[in-house]
Amino acid sequence: MKNKEWREFGPGNSIRSSFTIEVTKAARRLLCARALRLSCLLILLAALSAAALAQTAASSIRGTIADELGAKVANAEVRIRTRSGAQLLATTDAQGMFEFADVRPGVYLVEVKADGFSSFVSDEIGVTRGESKNAQFTLRVAGINESVVVVSSGSPQRSAEVSKVVSVIDAQEIEARREPSVSEALRGTPGVRIQQQGSPGALTSIRLRGQRTFDTAILLDGLRVRDAADINGAASSVITDLSPIAMDRVEILRGPGSSLYGSSAIGGVVNLAPELPGEGFHFGFDAEAGALATFRERAKFSFGGNRAGFTFGLSRLDVRRGVDGDDQYGNTAGGGRFQFHASSAVTIAGNVYATFSNARLNDAPFVLPGAFVAGAAYPRAIASASFQADFNNPDQGRRNRLLVGAVRLTHQVNDSLSYSIAYQRTASNRRNYNGPQIDPRFAAFYPFGDFEFVSLNRGSTDTLDARLSARIGSSNFVTAGFEFEHEAAVQEFGPPFGSVPTPQDKQKTFAWFGQDQLSFFDDRLQLAFGIRGQSFRLNAADRPGALQAINTKSAITGDGSVAYFFRSTNTKLRAHVGNGFRAPSLFERFGFGT
């Protein structure tokens, strides 16, 4: 070994220098291991102390749900939320009564939903140590729904408090419309444009306020979901297959959201909020069929008790005859949530989401010689004259897989302070392929035969998100956070002459962010200010040639919003200004193809 090091590093002190580097790496690993054990110990101690404190001074929230005529509403879904994001779910009994026993002292929002009634959200309800709070709520038939919004500020707010432009599509509306995909569920929302380039399964884009599709951030329960192997490092390649399975609601923030959610939130943010497990055991199944030989089957079940519960949904969509009769598409999607209340102050929740899709694709349109007319700067687009429209390719298609798993710990330290720690892993695998077959009607366009290829794109993103929230007085709510993200991607491209693999490319991201929310004049005036700093780290050895000497640049984003609510006329005036950014993708950093 010494001779090998002598030849590799040369004479002198090089051997001792090499030994010093190895010791440093070992020390770092030992330090990281000890830090991880210390973090786990601190979390365990916090959970135990919270449990002990809760046993000595229990608080509760109970009440009754009735309609406008005073009749009690049974089987209503009652949910309480804290500003830290923790939430509990209960169902009213035959007398319309509900109870949340052993809750942590603090400030809560109560949200009520029932079939045939508009959703209701209460004002903030404060509970002190050992207090039993009683409340009565009245539901109205029809009218405009109230809702709790998370995406605008990263913490639960009543829709009347939100100072940014947010739309909410709840589970009841999604179910009533029977939409098979998230993109179709968003269609018709103000400021949202949905484009689908062909039959179901073709490339679909979501554009918020006219921005590009990769300027829209997709979140699952507040954590960003994107494809690290995508050419833009965004969620563009996975939007087509997203299915609203086991979703409580979909929130759409229109306007810059990079101060809280980082990359690709220039035009806005779409947050998919998973459904919470209810009390008892529930199971449902349905199947339907429609035009284009479309078949859809769905199953959902949940089970919950006082301290723990889970919900899971599964759907299968088959389109056996596309718009032109040949474009098949199949998508299997599943999603669920597990929630465990270690104590009245500590909640551990986990989310899973997955899609497996297979689609047959058409050849893209291309220009014909008729488009090059002398003297015509902008020739008219005439099918089969100036351009050839897309047409069927018998053996071209794609297979996509998306897997997302996340876990979050939320701790309400006291009635003014809380924190959350979350980890999420997103893994994508895309396979695009094309064989030698050609539609005989268009064989003249391929005098040398069709181009055969297989392209594999695999990406992964690991995200660690930590947030600390504090209430300062009755009108100031401050949030500070740290986010670490590690993304990696690898591609293999198989042309007719052999396979061309690329090494795994990696990028690390560090971000610090903060937000201050202020309210005045009995919550009629709402102000919010946010800022985020983000830096990137690449290993020089991973970058070829001249790229090694190029330093990565940091990004600083911020936004501010103000809103004033006129209760007498139910009118709100809003203003929101900010900037956003999209982080360079691995394709842009390292230049591998897709």
Side-chain angles (χ1 to χ4, degrees), residues 20-99:
T20 302
I21 292 175
E22 292 300 321
V23 172
T24 302
K25 290 182 178 178
R28 288 179 179 176
R29 288 195 295 268
L30 180 60
L31 181 61
C32 291
R34 289 183 176 178
L36 180 60
R37 288 196 294 268
L38 178 60
S39 300
C40 294
L41 179 61
L42 291 175
I43 292 174
L44 179 60
L45 291 176
L48 293 176
S49 62
L53 187 61
Q55 292 176 358
T56 58
S59 303
S60 64
I61 299 177
R62 58 174 58 93
T64 304
I65 308 299
D67 61 18
E68 294 177 285
L69 299 178
K72 302 302 185 288
V73 179
N75 296 320
E77 181 184 283
V78 185
R79 183 179 309 176
I80 61 173
R81 300 175 184 262
T82 66
R83 290 292 190 183
S84 62
Q87 46 190 319
L88 297 172
L89 183 65
T91 305
T92 58
D93 58 18
Q95 287 73 41
M97 299 180 64
F98 68 91
E99 180 179 10

Side-chain angles (χ1 to χ4, degrees), residues 42-330:
L42 291 175
I43 292 174
L44 179 60
L45 291 176
L48 293 176
S49 62
L53 187 61
Q55 292 176 358
T56 58
S59 303
S60 64
I61 299 177
R62 58 174 58 93
T64 304
I65 308 299
D67 61 18
E68 294 177 285
L69 299 178
K72 302 302 185 288
V73 179
N75 296 320
E77 181 184 283
V78 185
R79 183 179 309 176
I80 61 173
R81 300 175 184 262
T82 66
R83 290 292 190 183
S84 62
Q87 46 190 319
L88 297 172
L89 183 65
T91 305
T92 58
D93 58 18
Q95 287 73 41
M97 299 180 64
F98 68 91
E99 180 179 10
F100 296 94
D102 192 22
V103 299
R104 184 72 174 176
V107 178
Y108 294 87
L109 294 174
V110 180
E111 182 179 14
V112 184
K113 295 181 179 180
D115 292 339
F117 296 92
S118 298
S119 300
F120 169 83
V121 180
S122 72
D123 294 329
E124 290 184 340
I125 296 178
V127 181
T128 59
R129 193 176 311 281
E131 180 184 9
S132 179
K133 180 74 71 172
N134 290 281
Q136 292 186 350
F137 303 112
T138 301
L139 298 183
R140 296 181 178 179
V141 179
I144 299 176
N145 287 332
E146 292 184 326
S147 60
V148 173
V149 178
V150 178
V151 70
S152 64
S153 63
S155 59
Q157 290 181 295
R158 297 176 62 236
S159 56
E161 300 173 348
V162 176
S163 58
K164 302 175 184 178
V165 181
V166 178
S167 297
V168 178
I169 305 174
D170 60 20
Q172 293 181 355
E173 184 176 352
I174 294 175
E175 182 64 25
R177 295 173 57 178
R178 312 290 291 184
E179 299 293 359
S181 65
V182 170
S183 58
E184 288 301 317
L186 298 180
R187 192 182 294 274
T189 303
V192 179
R193 182 182 180 186
I194 305 299
Q195 290 180 300
Q196 181 175 298
Q197 299 180 4
S199 297
L203 181 64
T204 303
S205 62
I206 300 175
R207 298 172 180 265
L208 299 182
R209 290 190 166 177
Q211 297 294 327
R212 300 161 297 186
T213 183
F214 49 80
D215 291 332
T216 299
I218 304 296
L219 311 179
L220 178 64
D221 197 24
L223 295 176
R224 191 170 53 252
V225 174
R226 59 194 186 102
D227 181 6
D230 178 65
I231 188 172
N232 297 298
S236 308
S237 59
V238 303
I239 288 176
T240 304
D241 302 320
L242 294 180
S243 177
I245 186 69
M247 292 294 170
D248 178 68
R249 65 192 185 280
V250 179
E251 302 173 345
I252 307 100
L253 167 65
R254 301 189 295 280
S258 289
S259 63
L260 274 180
Y261 301 110
S263 177
S264 302
I266 301 173
V269 177
V270 176
N271 181 39
L272 310 179
E275 183 177 339
L276 291 180
E279 295 182 341
F281 178 79
H282 303 272
F283 175 80
F285 174 83
D286 67 85
E288 56 188 333
L292 305 181
T294 300
F295 301 89
R296 185 187 184 198
E297 304 84 31
R298 296 183 300 169
K300 187 174 68 174
F301 58 93
S302 65
F303 179 79
N306 293 329
R307 299 189 62 183
F310 69 90
T311 180
F312 186 79
L314 188 67
S315 72
R316 174 65 187 179
L317 174 66
D318 288 286
V319 181
R320 300 180 181 176
R321 295 182 62 85
V323 174
D324 60 7
D326 295 300
D327 303 328
Q328 296 85 19
Y329 173 64

Side-chain angles (χ1 to χ4, degrees), residues 411-489:
H411 182 195
Q412 185 77 31
V413 180
N414 53 46
D415 56 356
S416 300
L417 185 66
S418 62
Y419 68 86
S420 66
I421 302 174
Y423 166 76
Q424 176 178 275
R425 179 173 178 81
T426 302
S428 60
N429 191 323
R430 294 183 288 115
R431 180 178 184 267
N432 294 282
Y433 59 90
N434 187 29
Q437 298 183 27
I438 302 174
D439 191 316
R441 296 171 295 176
F442 306 99
F445 294 119
Y446 298 91
F448 302 103
D450 201 1
F451 181 74
E452 302 178 48
F453 69 88
V454 176
S455 176
L456 302 177
N457 303 271
R458 295 189 295 272
S460 64
T461 305
D462 295 276
T463 304
L464 178 65
D465 183 282
R467 304 189 181 204
L468 179 68
S469 300
R471 177 182 291 275
I472 304 174
S474 59
S475 61
N476 194 358
F477 188 77
V478 179
T479 302
F482 167 78
E483 182 185 82
F484 168 77
E485 192 174 69
H486 177 273
E487 54 182 316

Side-chain angles (χ1 to χ4, degrees), residues 492-514:
E492 296 182 13
F493 187 74
F497 310 106
S499 179
V500 181
T502 62
Q504 186 182 61
D505 297 316
K506 294 168 287 186
Q507 177 174 254
K508 295 179 181 178
T509 304
F510 302 85
W512 296 262
F513 56 90

Side-chain angles (χ1 to χ4, degrees), residues 515-543:
Q515 181 179 247
D516 193 4
Q517 302 174 63
L518 303 167
S519 61
F520 303 98
F521 305 119
D522 193 21
D523 293 338
R524 294 193 302 274
L525 177 63
Q526 302 287 336
L527 303 172
F529 305 94
I531 188 170
R532 181 187 185 97
Q534 189 152 326
S535 60
F536 308 90
R537 183 177 300 173
L538 302 174
N539 293 329
D542 294 336
R543 293 182 284 175

Side-chain angles (χ1 to χ4, degrees), residues 579-594:
N579 65 334
F581 80 105
R582 180 179 63 83
S585 66
L586 291 174
F587 170 84
E588 293 164 329
R589 296 285 197 195
F590 301 97
F592 66 87
T594 53

Side-chain angles (χ1 to χ4, degrees), residues 364-413:
F366 55 85
V367 178
L368 294 177
F372 303 98
V373 179
Y378 303 100
R380 296 183 59 187
I382 303 175
S384 301
S386 59
F387 78 98
Q388 174 59 49
D390 64 338
F391 53 85
N392 184 61
N393 191 320
D395 52 6
Q396 178 177 250
R398 65 166 179 86
R399 293 184 179 180
N400 287 4
R401 182 184 70 193
L402 174 68
L403 302 174
V404 183
V407 61
R408 186 193 303 270
L409 168 71
T410 303
H411 182 195
Q412 185 77 31
V413 180

